[in-house]
Amino acid sequence: MASGAPVRPLRADARRNRERLLAVAEEVFAAKGTGASTEEIARQAGVGIGTVFRHFPTKEALLAAVFLGRFERLGEQARALSTAAEPGPAFFEFFTLVVDQAPAKNAFADAMEQAGVDVQGVTSGIAGELTAALEELLGRAQAVGAVRADLGVAELKALLVGASRAVEFAGDREACARTLAVFVDGMRPTGG
Amino acid sequence: MASGAPVRPLRADARRNRERLLAVAEEVFAAKGTGASTEEIARQAGVGIGTVFRHFPTKEALLAAVFLGRFERLGEQARALSTAAEPGPAFFEFFTLVVDQAPAKNAFADAMEQAGVDVQGVTSGIAGELTAALEELLGRAQAVGAVRADLGVAELKALLVGASRAVEFAGDREACARTLAVFVDGMRPTGG
DNA sequence: CTAGAATCGGAGTTGTGACTCCGATTACAC
DNA sequence: GTGTAATCGGAGTCACAACTCCGATTCTAG
């Protein structure tokens, strides 16, 4: 199960390059979509193409690494908010938070769909943690009656993706706010 | 403004091929995304690549033609429903209708964003009609108090795109229904 | 039926982007 | 400081997809 190779720590310059590449890739993919070329990323990171492929054997691997990082951070945020005193506001804060980071999140959905990659597979470990954190956050909010009871984590994920798309499409800030309000109100319990 | 060339009617076989291409392209783009190759479309339509490019000088033009057709049909459906006796149910029926046709609709959003094409420009005429029909449909539903008053056509479009994405992501039919319910309830008037 | 124009088909061109390879360079142990 | 193994850089390869071109084919007017 656990991989056999002991993986000695990377040389300092290699580690720097790897981190820089991840940061730049996240930015570029968010800005230009997942169709952005690896050459573009290499150039912006100030390294050669060879270096990109040394660290990430395929473009898909690079994408996966970027999304894994994003998932990790989302999971942390969700966990942090899931211990908040008021589960209701915490839940909606998280929702808004994710949607505000929409561009990168959409790049994620795009990539996974287009590449035909198995989302559950590639990101299984981290995604599992994220799912658990979402479950906690959602469950608590439902327990205090802040969120309708007929929603599960699957629906929540779908709504996160949909909301990200929607606000990206809405344009100006006020339209975004009104659009987001529909999601928020729609997730509240029906009929009081 | 009106173009000068009198455009003589196409030869019978040419018109057949053109229609067949549009139909096949819509299917293929919906199934495999807008990244599907023109060769694939030509093959499935049973024509040569040359024929595709004779009718649609670029791939982008083919995409635009497909979406124009879709917009046209949506506009018709919206217009038909906008004269219904009960504006509220008519509005929500239209919303559901569009979302059920999600795949193709998403292909639209993808293409326009990725290609960097000006949506308003390419589809201006038809999109204008669609917008007008949406406005009518929305306005009537709001007038009878079936839909919250703070939504405009821009928000409605964003919600249509977002909902399409969301249900596409949701997976099984029941999750889709619960997800859609969030949209529907969220668009209803608040506190009333 | 025939002439001739419109249309078709698909091999070939061109451009782009993922990925490889290996000599040059650099970090680290001693 | 020096040896050496890890890392870097980027020219070159390969595959694929958009688009062109022109001889072959098909439609239609007469």
Side-chain angles (χ1 to χ4, degrees):
Chain A
M1 304 299 158
S3 82
V7 188
R8 109 179 43 181
L10 286 174
R11 231 169 65 175
D13 55 344
R15 212 169 56 79
R16 257 198 315 274
N17 278 335
R18 192 175 194 285
E19 275 165 22
R20 184 159 177 66
L21 274 171
L22 274 176
V24 169
E26 181 159 2
E27 235 173 84
V28 174
F29 285 142
K32 308 210 169 183
T34 55
S37 72
T38 48
E39 257 184 89
E40 164 111 24
I41 290 164
R43 205 177 332 117
Q44 288 211 28
V47 303
I49 312 169
T51 303
V52 180
F53 284 98
R54 158 168 299 274
H55 289 291
F56 307 98
T58 65
K59 184 184 180 177
E60 201 178 283
L62 174 56
L63 275 170
V66 168
F67 298 139
L68 230 61
R70 194 149 212 46
F71 275 14
E72 217 158 17
R73 270 175 284 156
L74 282 180
E76 280 164 25
Q77 292 172 319
R79 263 192 301 281
L81 284 168
S82 73
T83 62
E86 295 185 298
F91 174 83
F92 290 111
E93 187 182 335
F94 178 78
F95 196 90
T96 306
L97 201 103
V98 173
V99 173
D100 283 345
Q101 298 168 354
K105 191 82 183 60
N106 289 333
F108 156 75
D110 286 359
M112 290 302 161
E113 282 165 31
Q114 299 250 345
V117 175
D118 170 26
V119 183
Q120 304 306 328
V122 172
T123 59
S124 59
I126 302 294
E129 289 178 32
L130 176 57
T131 300
L134 289 178
E135 212 145 28
E136 183 78 11
L137 200 58
L138 175 63
R140 282 173 185 249
Q142 287 174 323
V144 300
V147 170
R148 59 197 290 170
D150 65 342
L151 293 181
V153 188
E155 288 86 355
L156 175 55
K157 285 179 184 170
L159 286 166
L160 284 169
V161 171
S164 298
R165 268 279 153 170
V167 303
E168 184 184 20
F169 201 88
D172 72 282
R173 193 161 290 280
E174 295 195 1
C176 284
R178 283 191 293 267
T179 305
L180 192 53
V182 170
F183 285 89
V184 170
D185 291 341
M187 287 189 290
R188 291 242 158 79
T190 49
Chain B
M1 295 302 151
S3 81
V7 188
R8 107 179 43 183
L10 286 173
R11 230 169 67 175
D13 55 345
R15 212 169 58 77
R16 256 199 316 273
N17 278 334
R18 191 175 196 284
E19 274 165 22
R20 184 159 176 65
L21 274 171
L22 274 175
V24 169
E26 181 159 3
E27 236 174 84
V28 174
F29 285 143
K32 308 210 170 185
T34 55
S37 72
T38 47
E39 256 184 90
E40 164 111 25
I41 290 164
R43 204 178 332 118
Q44 289 213 26
V47 303
I49 311 169
T51 302
V52 180
F53 284 97
R54 158 167 299 274
H55 288 291
F56 307 97
T58 65
K59 183 184 180 178
E60 200 177 286
L62 174 56
L63 275 170
V66 169
F67 298 138
L68 229 61
R70 194 149 222 21
F71 274 13
E72 216 157 16
R73 270 174 283 156
L74 282 180
E76 279 164 25
Q77 291 172 317
R79 263 193 302 282
L81 284 168
S82 73
T83 61
E86 295 184 298
F91 175 84
F92 290 111
E93 186 183 335
F94 178 77
F95 195 90
T96 306
L97 201 102
V98 173
V99 173
D100 284 345
Q101 298 168 353
K105 191 81 182 61
N106 289 332
F108 156 74
D110 285 359
M112 290 302 160
E113 281 164 35
Q114 298 250 347
V117 175
D118 171 27
V119 182
Q120 304 306 328
V122 172
T123 58
S124 60
I126 302 294
E129 288 177 33
L130 176 57
T131 300
L134 289 178
E135 211 144 30
E136 183 79 10
L137 200 59
L138 175 62
R140 282 172 187 251
Q142 287 172 324
V144 300
V147 170
R148 59 198 289 169
D150 65 343
L151 292 181
V153 189
E155 289 85 356
L156 175 54
K157 286 180 184 170
L159 286 167
L160 284 169
V161 171
S164 298
R165 268 279 153 168
V167 303
E168 184 184 20
F169 201 89
D172 72 282
R173 192 162 291 280
E174 294 195 1
C176 284
R178 283 191 293 268
T179 304
L180 192 54
V182 170
F183 284 89
V184 170
D185 291 341
M187 288 189 289
R188 291 241 158 79
T190 50

